[in-house]
Amino acid sequence: MQILSTNLIILSFFTICCMKFLHADNPPLSLDYYKSSCPNAEAIVRKEMECAVLSDLRNAALILRLHFHDCFVQGCDGSVLLDDTFTLQGEKNAPTNLNALKGFEIIDRIKNKLESECPNTVSCADVLTYAARDATVLVGGPYWDVPAGRKDSKTASFSLVESNIPGANDGLLSIIAKFMYQSLSVTDMVALSGAHTIGMARCTNYRDRIYGDYQTTATMGNIAESHLKTLKATCPAAGGGDNNEAAMDYVTPNLFDNSYYHILLRGEGLLNSDQELYSSILGVETRKLVKRYAEDVIAFFEQFSESMVKLGNITNPETYVDGEVRKNCRFVNT
């Protein structure tokens, strides 16, 4: 009897583990998931994203960042969209996310349109994944097909935000470890970092860099000198202005191209974590990839597309047991 009980426990543990790995490695996603239930889903998302980006090009970067921060915490399950309630602590107010994440109202508008067209059908997690693809395309980046079928979580994780999401001052090994934890390779990491070719960083995230080794890594010509002077003017060393922003790609800040990698080659990366890809003594492989993507924008676009699909495929296995399609992306269904 004891042997039988032990075997049952082992079998149950094995089954649970296999289920988790099955969902993690082979998520039940498909390209035609909404073909019958909501055939216009992608078109609705695209139209709303066109309006959002047309009104402000910076909205593209906001949505891309939301998607990344969602997928790195519990998988791509829409948990980043949840507001705090009496019974749930969301992720929006975690130190890494606070004042850094914006664009939630764009997802709200898209979701409202989809609920009018196809009630209770398209998950918030899928909305955000579609929107991130369209955001990229609308500012000149590559297109990729998005597998769909994600479910929305009923939970969020304030603590995982701090442990899972790479920080602006992380060293190269720490960044690599955080990507590998998500089953993303070094190649994926360097390609996905290229999303910093659009978007802004806050002073609190680049202060250490511009008053640290910026002048050591950068080839300090007239343009770099002028740019550094501007950065310091809006981000004082003594503190203050923490939420003042600067473009991570100051050459073409609203165009999705490979300019970001050229900036790294010149040693002018705005964030320590970005410049580490090229300047770290440990970055033998990452340095080669930075050079490659700087030289070949098509190679960058192809790898970015592939890596974004991998990012979007990081699913939360719990949502396929106890997930839902939220009616309002900010709140769990009641």
Side-chain angles (χ1 to χ4, degrees):
M1 179 66 72
Q2 185 176 6
I3 294 174
L4 179 59
S5 298
T6 302
N7 286 341
L8 285 172
I9 291 171
I10 292 172
L11 180 60
S12 298
F13 177 77
F14 178 77
T15 302
I16 291 170
C17 288
C18 284
M19 285 176 64
K20 286 187 176 182
F21 281 113
L22 173 65
H23 288 144
D25 295 338
N26 300 290
L29 307 177
S30 64
L31 294 176
D32 59 355
Y33 188 82
Y34 296 113
K35 183 177 181 180
S36 299
S37 60
C38 193
N40 293 324
E42 288 191 69
I44 291 170
V45 175
R46 189 178 307 115
K47 182 178 179 180
E48 291 303 310
M49 282 305 303
E50 286 173 355
C51 293
V53 174
L54 185 62
S55 67
D56 189 340
L57 291 173
R58 292 176 296 180
N59 283 333
L62 302 184
I63 297 302
L64 256 182
R65 181 178 292 174
L66 270 183
H67 179 53
F68 181 90
H69 281 234
D70 184 36
C71 295
F72 261 57
V73 178
Q74 296 190 168
C76 309
D77 61 357
S79 60
V80 74
L81 304 172
L82 289 169
D83 284 350
D84 288 348
T85 67
F86 288 117
T87 58
L88 183 144
Q89 183 180 35
E91 298 163 12
K92 294 179 180 180
N93 290 316
T96 295
N97 287 344
L98 187 63
N99 298 319
L101 298 185
K102 303 173 185 176
F104 297 104
E105 70 286 348
I106 298 171
I107 301 302
D108 291 339
R109 285 198 295 270
I110 297 172
K111 180 61 172 171
N112 287 338
K113 293 284 186 180
L114 286 167
E115 284 299 302
S116 297
E117 177 92 3
C118 319
N120 309 316
T121 302
V122 183
S123 69
C124 298
D126 278 345
V127 169
L128 186 51
T129 310
Y130 283 140
R133 185 270 312 277
D134 294 339
T136 303
V137 173
L138 288 166
V139 288
Y143 175 93
W144 61 92
D145 290 321
V146 174
R150 298 163 193 81
K151 297 301 180 184
D152 296 324
S153 67
K154 297 179 181 178
T155 63
S157 181
F158 185 98
S159 61
L160 285 181
V161 173
E162 301 310 299
S163 60
N164 286 17
I165 295 176
N169 292 307
D170 280 0
L172 183 61
L173 293 183
S174 174
I175 303 167
I176 290 173
K178 289 177 179 179
F179 273 79
M180 291 188 71
Y181 181 76
Q182 305 293 346
S183 298
L184 296 170
S185 68
V186 170
T187 300
D188 294 321
M189 178 189 73
V190 177
L192 291 172
S193 295
H196 286 178
T197 192
I198 56 175
M200 313 289 282
R202 294 183 300 139
C203 163
T204 189
N205 288 326
Y206 63 80
R207 180 181 282 116
D208 287 351
R209 167 75 174 139
I210 63 174
Y211 292 103
D213 66 350
Y214 189 97
Q215 289 178 285
T216 303
T217 62
T219 51
M220 295 301 291
N222 291 337
I223 295 176
E225 289 276 7
S226 175
H227 182 55
L228 181 58
K229 185 177 180 180
T230 300
L231 290 172
K232 288 183 174 180
T234 57
C235 188
D242 283 0
N243 291 321
N244 291 343
E245 293 181 327
M248 289 180 279
D249 171 3
Y250 71 90
V251 180
T252 54
N254 294 314
L255 178 64
F256 197 100
D257 56 14
N258 63 344
S259 174
Y260 163 83
Y261 297 106
H262 289 279
I263 288 172
L264 298 188
L265 291 182
R266 296 196 301 271
E268 298 175 29
L270 183 61
L271 304 180
N272 273 316
S273 55
D274 284 338
Q275 195 57 48
E276 280 280 291
L277 301 181
Y278 185 71
S279 297
S280 173
I281 60 173
L282 302 173
V284 177
E285 184 178 355
T286 58
R287 191 177 301 114
K288 290 178 182 177
L289 290 166
V290 169
K291 288 181 179 178
R292 184 185 180 207
Y293 299 148
E295 294 168 357
D296 188 346
V297 68
I298 294 176
F300 165 48
F301 277 16
E302 289 177 349
Q303 185 58 56
F304 184 82
S305 299
E306 181 180 323
S307 297
M308 283 297 289
V309 172
K310 287 181 67 176
L311 175 69
N313 286 352
I314 303 171
T315 52
N316 180 349
E318 292 183 6
T319 61
Y320 294 99
V321 179
D322 189 37
E324 63 182 8
V325 174
R326 287 185 216 134
K327 296 178 181 178
N328 182 330
C329 293
R330 293 174 182 263
F331 303 102
V332 173
N333 293 340
T334 54

